[in-house]
């Protein structure tokens, strides 16, 4: 392949992402087929193409949709992410993730979205609920700044609300430094915000099995998982424990719009 052809190939994902976002901006139905094609490129064995397509998916599409802070932006970002998840699950390396979703009967976009809507509904913990919880898991927001601003508040409140429970923080190694001597447990999971689609998706099956192993002798009411719109769960779309045990905070929608 000539240098000129390589450059054209590298620019193609960026061009496709621009077409998709132009449709969103103009209020037209965006072509989700482009997301499927971009996802296939992002999962390619061609390293340069995979890098370019992954950057276009997350940088040009997911991030702007999340920064829109509207219900429309949330819904569109979720649809895009589900297309990306499905593309990953169709690959050989996505076989484990595909099997987990099949076991949980969450193979269709509709089922994933229905679950996401369910965990998005507030369900406060009663005094009786808190008394039976044995293990609580908090997902990192991945960036240090977001973990200081958001995750630290969840940690502080849970330590007061669940004094007898074991609390696990899940995410990059900066969590251990940030919450040093807080009596917490850690699941360290390196996560690169510049990582490929494959690298990001491969984290979820590993985390799912870690939490399942840690809780396999507990009843659902003895487990809590707090997901503050984490990249580790693809913004809450991928399950990590029982749906009633999951508390999800969508940070991508303006609070005033929810009221």
């Amino acid at each position: 392949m000539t240098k000129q052809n390589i450059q054209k190939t590298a620019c193609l994902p960026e061009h496709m992402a621009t077409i998709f976002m132009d449709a969103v901006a103009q209020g037209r139905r965006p072509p989700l087929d482009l997301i499927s094609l971009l996802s296939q490129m992002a999962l390619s064995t061609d390293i340069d193409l995979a890098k370019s397509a992954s950057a276009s998916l997350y940088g040009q599409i997911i991030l702007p949709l999340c920064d829109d802070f509207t219900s429309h932006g949330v819904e569109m970002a979720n649809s895009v992410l589900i297309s990306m998840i499905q593309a990953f699950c169709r690959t050989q390396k996505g076989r484990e993730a595909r099997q987990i979703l099949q076991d949980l009967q969450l193979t269709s976009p509709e089922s994933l979205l229905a679950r996401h809507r369910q965990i998005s509904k507030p369900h406060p913990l009663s005094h009786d609920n808190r008394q039976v919880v044995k293990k609580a898991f908090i997902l990192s927001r991945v960036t240090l700044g977001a973990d200081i601003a958001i995750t630290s508040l969840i940690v502080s409140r849970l330590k007061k609300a669940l004094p007898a429970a074991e609390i696990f923080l899940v995410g990059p190694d900066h969590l251990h430094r940030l919450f040093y001597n807080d009596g917490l447990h850690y699941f360290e999971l390196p996560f690169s915000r510049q990582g490929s689609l494959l690298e990001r998706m491969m984290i979820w099956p590993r985390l799912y099995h870690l939490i399942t192993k840690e809780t396999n002798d507990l009843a659902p009411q003895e487990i809590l998982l707090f997901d503050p719109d984490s990249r580790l769960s693809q913004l809450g779309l991928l399950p990590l424990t029982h749906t009633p045990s999951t508390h999800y905070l969508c940070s991508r929608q303006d609070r005033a719009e929810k009221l």
Side-chain angles (χ1 to χ4, degrees):
M1 184 179 288
T2 66
K3 182 177 180 181
Q4 185 177 12
N5 286 337
I6 292 173
Q7 290 174 338
K8 287 182 179 179
T9 301
C11 291
L12 182 58
E14 182 178 343
H15 179 62
M16 293 168 65
T18 298
I19 293 174
F20 184 89
M21 291 305 291
D22 282 348
V24 173
Q26 294 169 19
R28 294 185 283 110
R29 184 176 181 178
L32 281 173
D33 287 349
L34 284 181
I35 302 302
S36 296
L37 290 172
L38 275 169
S39 298
Q40 292 175 38
M41 292 179 181
L43 295 164
S44 168
T45 55
D46 182 322
I47 296 175
D48 290 334
L49 179 60
K51 181 179 180 180
S52 177
S54 296
S56 294
L57 282 166
Y58 284 103
Q60 287 184 255
I61 298 177
I62 297 298
L63 185 59
L65 289 174
C66 290
D67 287 346
D68 186 47
F69 290 105
T70 65
S71 58
H72 177 70
V74 171
E75 292 168 3
M76 186 57 59
N78 287 348
S79 295
V80 171
L81 281 168
I82 287 175
S83 292
M84 294 160 63
I85 291 167
Q86 290 187 312
F88 166 65
C89 286
R90 287 192 291 267
T91 67
Q92 181 65 22
K93 291 187 176 180
R95 182 174 58 181
E96 187 177 15
R98 181 171 66 250
Q99 186 60 57
I100 294 170
L101 292 176
Q102 286 176 352
D103 292 344
L104 297 173
Q105 299 182 340
L106 292 171
T107 55
S108 69
E110 293 77 17
S111 60
L112 288 170
L113 287 172
R115 175 193 165 274
H116 192 270
R117 285 193 292 269
Q118 189 172 350
I119 64 173
S120 298
K121 297 177 182 177
H123 47 293
L125 291 172
S126 68
H127 175 76
D128 290 340
N129 292 148
R130 293 197 298 266
Q131 299 307 304
V132 300
V133 175
K134 294 183 178 179
K135 293 183 179 180
F137 301 84
I138 306 170
L139 302 185
S140 169
R141 283 292 301 264
V142 174
T143 64
L144 178 60
D147 279 333
I148 291 173
I150 298 173
T151 310
S152 62
L153 296 180
I154 299 175
V155 170
S156 177
R157 292 183 182 183
L158 280 190
K159 288 178 67 178
K160 294 177 181 177
L162 307 171
E166 292 182 275
I167 299 176
F168 294 76
L169 280 174
V170 183
D173 62 357
H174 69 245
L175 291 173
H176 192 275
R177 300 193 301 272
L178 182 60
F179 298 100
Y180 184 68
N181 277 343
D182 272 8
L184 306 173
H185 304 276
Y186 300 89
F187 283 158
E188 184 177 326
L189 287 173
F191 187 97
S192 172
R193 286 182 292 155
Q194 284 72 49
S196 68
L197 174 59
L198 181 62
E199 290 170 333
R200 296 180 191 224
M201 291 291 178
M202 288 290 287
I203 287 174
W204 173 68
R206 178 186 171 193
L207 178 53
Y208 178 86
H209 288 308
L210 281 172
I211 292 178
T212 299
K213 182 178 179 180
E214 190 66 40
T215 60
N216 61 7
D217 60 341
L218 299 180
Q221 63 269 25
E222 296 175 318
I223 307 164
L224 288 177
L225 184 136
F226 293 84
D227 184 344
D229 234 7
S230 175
R231 291 179 172 94
L232 301 176
S233 64
Q234 293 298 316
L235 307 184
L237 286 165
L238 291 172
L240 289 166
T241 190
H242 313 281
T243 297
S245 302
T246 302
H247 292 256
Y248 171 72
L249 169 64
C250 182
S251 61
R252 296 173 280 152
Q253 190 172 347
D254 182 67
R255 183 178 297 272
E257 189 186 31
K258 297 178 186 179
L259 300 178

